[in-house]
Amino acid sequence: MSHPPVPNPGSFPTGGRSWGAIPGSAASGWGAIPDSPGGSTLLTGIGELTTNVPGGAGTGDGDPTGLVTDAVVLLDGGRVAWAGPAREARDAVGRALDGRAPDVTVDVGGRAVIPGFVDSHTHLVFAGDRAAEFEARMAGRPYEAGGIRSTVAATRAAPDDVLRAGLARHLDEAARQGTTTVEVKSGYGLTVADEERSVRLAREVTPEVTFLGAHVVPAELAGRADAYVDLVCGDMLAACAPHARWVDVFCETGAFTPEQSRRVLEAGAAAGLGVRVHANQLGPGEGVRLAVELGAAAVDHCTYLTDADVAALAGSWTGSGAWPDGASGAVAGTVATLLPGVEFSTRQPYPDARRLLDAGAVVALASDCNPGSSYTSSMPLCVALAVREMRMTVAEAVWSATAGGALALRRDDVGHLAPGARADVVLLDAPSRTHLAYRPGVPLAAAVWKDGVRLPAG
């Protein structure tokens, strides 16, 4: 069963909780969360479950977020084995486990559960920071793409173990806030050797690696952008493609022209890489329409959009019938990935998410974690900013930070909780997902499971 994109999931009542006992459930209610070593884990007593599965058991009609109240989730072997209302759980869990008892059972005491966040845009292979630049910007200096070059210098000078340590630190920071899938870009090396090193190190921690050699023109080739594009499309791409899944380009004034961007993206596609684009961050331009024309999975930033840009993004999904419902797995169209941490950190205008959603475009939220324009790994912060500053509903923002991110990566195994999906689950220390926006800055991820294994706390 496939579903057309529903751009505005809206808000839905949560109802009350009336959990009946399941053999093996915790009798004492909420307490310490048992470790889940990778066998089967049964989460019971879920007050509100976001599945992102339209039409699933216990969900309301027309609800693309697949909200279930008084719910149960069964994780087994790194995958979701069953998710649905408690009233159906006893028989369903027994069938899923062939009569076995779950290895671990956790009564979550009425708390909310959501899929793990899918952060589809980060720049985590870097050294140093740009705190002085941030301070100056807050005092009135505008953000410019050229600030990237200071990070390039620090990254080139850093040994591998320093870059690995930075990657590990930021990934751990993100995981503790509920992020279970992360895309990582290169772009702070800008030589063949340094870009190859960046994608190789990123590939050690995630399959979602993006070659972004066309981030800016390096200082040593200033004024010779076409010559640098030749390098990116030639030796640099050849060295990086074996470690990457995606190619990206910063199509922006001060970075690369639409013509140069097309060269990079077409070369990457010819090398077997999927296409992503940075575009329309600093001003209007042709990048969004170029991304749609080339069938990019996502175009990111989308701060300054014309009516033609919005129409192109919405039109890329028309008639596709693509929706990650745990059954069809179909994907098509170009996702508009919005990065509210950037606007928060640069004092630029926020993207008009409402305009995109009302037009029928598909929206994702991501952190753009990087040392210059958005030094945050917090997807909950992005959800809160999207609700407060970009006029998204809580349901829309949570969907965009989970299922939307999965679509931006063309993944059908993450971003939702249905049988067969990866067992990437976040337990919130709150009764509903609304608290992600209602209580900004509060660490609400009480427990996180990735591939069915509970991650260490703290």
Side-chain angles (χ1 to χ4, degrees):
M1 180 179 180
S2 62
H3 304 261
V6 181
N8 185 349
S11 300
F12 302 92
T14 60
R17 186 173 85 84
S18 56
W19 172 250
I22 278 185
S25 63
S28 58
W30 181 258
I33 303 168
D35 286 333
S36 301
S40 58
T41 299
L42 184 67
L43 303 180
T44 70
I46 300 169
E48 178 189 278
L49 170 66
T50 298
T51 66
N52 291 336
V53 181
T59 65
D61 292 340
D63 174 10
T65 72
L67 196 70
V68 183
T69 57
D70 190 16
V72 171
V73 172
L74 175 65
L75 314 178
D76 187 35
R79 298 281 173 167
V80 177
W82 190 80
R87 64 181 179 272
E88 300 178 17
R90 190 183 306 274
D91 292 340
V93 168
R95 288 192 300 269
L97 294 178
D98 294 325
R100 292 180 290 117
D103 296 316
V104 176
T105 299
V106 184
D107 182 340
V108 306
R111 285 160 171 80
V113 167
I114 64 172
F117 292 117
V118 180
D119 192 348
S120 61
H121 184 130
T122 79
H123 303 253
L124 298 184
V125 184
F126 68 88
D129 69 28
R130 282 149 64 187
E133 176 188 314
F134 174 81
E135 185 177 26
R137 190 161 62 242
M138 294 300 101
R141 191 178 80 193
Y143 175 74
E144 298 177 350
I148 293 166
R149 295 190 181 97
S150 63
T151 300
V152 170
T155 303
R156 287 178 177 180
D160 285 8
D161 60 348
V162 169
L163 297 180
R164 280 196 181 95
L167 261 172
R169 177 167 63 88
H170 290 104
L171 289 172
D172 178 68
E173 188 177 86
R176 284 186 279 109
Q177 299 173 85
T179 298
T180 52
T181 301
V182 181
E183 179 264 12
V184 177
K185 303 179 191 297
S186 68
Y188 293 130
L190 309 187
T191 67
V192 172
D194 286 303
E195 283 296 295
E196 188 277 338
R197 176 174 70 144
S198 294
V199 293
R200 175 168 41 83
L201 293 178
R203 186 63 184 82
E204 293 176 359
V205 298
T206 180
E208 300 299 340
V209 177
T210 299
F211 166 50
L212 182 59
H215 202 180
V216 293
V217 178
E220 63 269 21
L221 287 174
R224 300 175 58 203
D226 286 337
Y228 182 64
V229 170
D230 290 341
L231 178 65
V232 170
C233 295
D235 291 348
M236 192 180 289
L237 175 61
C240 293
H243 307 290
R245 185 182 176 207
W246 305 98
V247 63
D248 199 344
V249 63
F250 194 6
C251 183
E252 196 75 60
T253 300
F256 297 93
T257 67
E259 293 76 18
Q260 292 164 342
S261 299
R262 179 185 292 275
R263 284 188 59 201
V264 170
L265 297 173
E266 289 182 342
L273 302 181
V275 173
R276 327 183 66 72
V277 183
H278 284 58
N280 298 57
Q281 175 188 358
L282 304 178
E286 300 175 37
V288 166
R289 279 164 286 160
L290 176 64
V292 172
E293 177 193 339
L294 295 181
V299 57
D300 301 4
H301 288 290
C302 296
T303 308
Y304 295 91
L305 298 179
T306 65
D307 289 345
D309 295 328
V310 175
L313 287 164
S316 73
W317 292 90
T318 301
S320 69
W323 198 258
D325 62 0
S328 68
V331 291
T334 298
V335 175
T337 303
L338 308 184
L339 310 167
V342 173
E343 284 70 42
F344 179 82
S345 299
T346 61
R347 287 184 175 157
Q348 288 183 262
Y350 284 87
D352 191 345
R354 187 79 269 133
R355 180 185 180 198
L356 287 163
L357 292 165
D358 290 348
V362 176
V363 170
L365 294 174
S367 73
D368 194 10
C369 185
N370 76 84
S373 61
S374 182
Y375 199 11
T376 180
S377 58
S378 176
M379 290 293 283
L381 173 63
C382 294
V383 167
L385 290 174
V387 172
R388 172 62 181 85
E389 302 292 345
M390 289 159 46
R391 297 192 299 147
M392 298 180 80
T393 67
V394 172
E396 288 167 342
V398 173
W399 186 94
S400 296
T402 52
L407 276 180
L409 295 174
R410 295 198 167 164
R411 294 277 294 271
D412 62 6
D413 62 334
V414 295
H416 66 287
L417 298 175
R422 289 189 177 275
D424 294 350
V425 176
V426 180
L427 172 66
L428 299 179
D429 194 10
S432 79
R433 63 195 180 191
T434 299
H435 284 238
L436 290 165
Y438 177 48
R439 304 195 69 207
V442 176
L444 292 180
V448 180
W449 286 262
K450 181 172 173 56
D451 293 326
V453 177
R454 183 175 156 259
L455 301 182

